[in-house]
Amino acid sequence: MILYLTSKAHINLLDFIEQEQELPLKKLCGQFSLLSFVVKDMRHFSHVRYVVLDRTAFMESDEEMVQALLSFQTMYEMRIIVIAEGLPESSPFLQQLVQVSIWNVVTADEIKDIQEEIRQCLSYDGMQRFKPTMHTIPFEEMSLAPFMKEEELYRFSCTNITIAIAGCDRRVGVTTTAFNLVCWINAHGGTACYLEANTSNHLAHIVHMFKPEKIGNAYAMEGNDFYLTRELNQGYNFIVVDCGVLREQHLQKTFVDAEIRLLCGSAMPYELAGFYRAMERCKGLPIHALGLFVPDNMRPYLIETISQNILFVEGSHDLFDSNANGEVFRTILKVHIVI
């Protein structure tokens, strides 16, 4: 079955597929908030195989839509197809989609070409045009070291060290990075918990969707503890605090008082000024700048303008990924690792 969220302008775009492939098609027409749909309504369609999203039907900005799609991928396993008519290959939006492994993107602007791209997206292997090519290494040449490193365990010489994570703007990946950091620490020999210290209510949405076990004041998910308040059940090596957006006027006390501070930003042209200003507001405080979703060709520019010590973080669409960006997390926490 295909679920199709569309604007009125494209409401009949998939009719030919329903006839050609005899795939049942469920159309929802109008203007949508994708994030709201994912959180509140998608559970009614968890049985579908394909979700086709007409870009013109959504109110979010490109960056907000990518973040909503990350939430979608975390909660559901189905093929996402984005209709973005006339989108150039140089578009930052297309690059972000590819970075989060959404490769079925229809960009043609002529109806015959659009239909052919839709057929590719619905084929067995999906559209291959934007899928990164991987060089195959003969098995005998492969080193086991990278795989062994993922499983390496460490001893941490600290108790209740606060790691505050903030973003220079909304939806730059702060919560996902905080979740991944907690999961990485817990999977590699340490103990860590997540504490929400902003008004986003992301944790409340996550609790609502995943229905985790409540143990004392903590919500336990995938072997990790998550808190809405500072009343912790126990001590941990690290308390990872999600501070949300770094405020313009006064830096959050939790962020200032933390032993380790992480500031997240991205590299779209309209985001760089905000990243720079946020770094300026933090002058005098030791900060780890994290660049998320930064293309390779933009990295030298961020090193020059944001920080010579900026750490580049790969995009993650799994909140509970205990191996995402492990090298970056190890670099940040190395002073607390017992050799």
Side-chain angles (χ1 to χ4, degrees):
M1 180 176 179
I2 302 173
L3 175 63
Y4 182 32
L5 276 63
T6 179
S7 62
K8 288 184 179 179
H10 295 147
I11 192 168
N12 298 318
L13 188 59
L14 297 188
D15 289 357
F16 78 100
I17 283 291
E18 190 173 26
Q19 297 169 6
E20 285 182 5
Q21 301 189 17
E22 298 183 350
L23 276 170
L25 176 62
K26 173 66 176 178
K27 298 180 187 178
L28 298 179
C29 181
Q31 286 293 118
F32 305 90
S33 164
L34 181 57
L35 182 60
S36 177
F37 188 87
V38 169
V39 172
K40 297 179 180 179
D41 303 307
M42 190 60 213
R43 57 192 173 90
H44 300 299
F45 303 99
S46 58
H47 59 286
V48 306
R49 289 179 61 193
Y50 307 101
V51 176
V52 181
L53 306 174
D54 172 10
R55 179 64 187 96
T56 62
F58 297 99
M59 297 180 289
E60 282 96 341
S61 67
D62 290 344
E63 292 70 33
E64 289 171 338
M65 187 168 179
V66 170
Q67 291 299 316
L69 288 169
L70 289 174
S71 299
F72 189 111
Q73 291 174 312
T74 300
M75 292 183 277
Y76 300 99
E77 291 186 9
M78 55 189 70
R79 186 178 298 177
I80 299 171
I81 300 169
V82 177
I83 307 291
E85 184 178 340
L87 187 71
E89 290 195 16
S90 59
S91 165
F93 179 48
L94 179 57
Q95 294 173 15
Q96 287 181 318
L97 291 175
V98 172
Q99 286 175 352
V100 299
S101 301
I102 295 176
W103 305 311
N104 293 282
V105 186
V106 176
T107 61
D109 52 14
E110 297 291 337
I111 187 62
K112 288 186 178 179
D113 297 331
I114 291 173
Q115 290 180 342
E116 179 54 35
E117 290 188 3
I118 291 172
R119 290 187 186 98
Q120 292 175 27
C121 292
L122 292 169
S123 66
Y124 181 80
D125 292 322
M127 180 179 278
Q128 301 297 303
R129 178 180 169 193
F130 301 118
K131 192 170 183 177
T133 57
M134 297 182 65
H135 175 67
T136 302
I137 303 174
F139 180 78
E140 59 272 13
E141 295 181 14
M142 293 178 66
S143 168
L144 293 178
F147 300 95
M148 296 298 290
K149 200 161 192 177
E150 300 281 42
E151 303 300 326
E152 190 171 357
L153 299 180
Y154 308 109
R155 286 197 303 120
F156 294 92
S157 60
C158 55
T159 302
N160 290 344
I161 292 290
T162 300
I163 304 173
I165 304 183
C168 64
D169 205 344
R170 296 175 64 247
R171 302 195 182 284
V172 294
V174 172
T175 298
T176 303
T177 302
F179 264 64
N180 287 170
L181 176 55
V182 169
C183 294
W184 182 86
I185 293 169
N186 286 330
H188 289 79
T191 58
C193 68
Y194 170 96
L195 172 64
E196 187 172 68
N198 61 72
T199 58
S200 69
N201 291 323
H202 289 333
L203 184 56
H205 289 303
I206 292 166
V207 168
H208 176 73
M209 291 303 300
F210 288 95
K211 309 295 184 187
E213 183 182 4
K214 183 77 182 297
I215 303 175
N217 291 321
Y219 292 93
M221 292 179 275
E222 303 281 336
N224 306 289
D225 292 343
F226 302 89
Y227 292 89
L228 289 165
T229 68
R230 264 202 176 271
E231 287 71 41
L232 308 183
N233 292 348
Q234 62 189 56
Y236 300 87
N237 293 132
F238 301 97
I239 303 168
V240 179
V241 183
D242 183 346
C243 295
V245 179
L246 202 67
R247 288 199 292 263
E248 288 283 345
Q249 301 301 324
H250 303 288
L251 299 182
Q252 291 95 317
K253 187 174 187 302
T254 302
F255 188 80
V256 173
D257 291 346
E259 287 88 353
I260 299 173
R261 304 171 196 85
L262 311 181
L263 180 63
C264 301
S266 191
M268 294 301 105
Y270 42 83
E271 295 172 325
L272 286 173
F275 201 171
Y276 178 81
R277 288 196 300 269
M279 289 293 292
E280 286 293 298
R281 293 200 300 277
C282 293
K283 272 192 172 178
L285 290 174
I287 295 289
H288 293 282
L290 302 185
L292 285 77
F293 302 106
V294 180
D296 290 344
N297 63 336
M298 288 293 295
R299 294 186 176 191
Y301 183 76
L302 266 70
I303 292 171
E304 180 180 349
T305 59
I306 301 298
S307 171
Q308 291 184 344
N309 299 316
I310 189 170
L311 298 169
F312 295 106
V313 178
E314 299 299 326
S316 169
H317 57 269
D318 182 353
L319 287 171
F320 304 103
D321 189 341
S322 61
N323 288 314
N325 297 298
E327 284 300 317
V328 173
F329 296 151
R330 188 184 187 284
T331 297
I332 293 169
L333 303 180
K334 63 184 179 182
V335 297
H336 297 290
I337 294 176
V338 178
I339 305 299

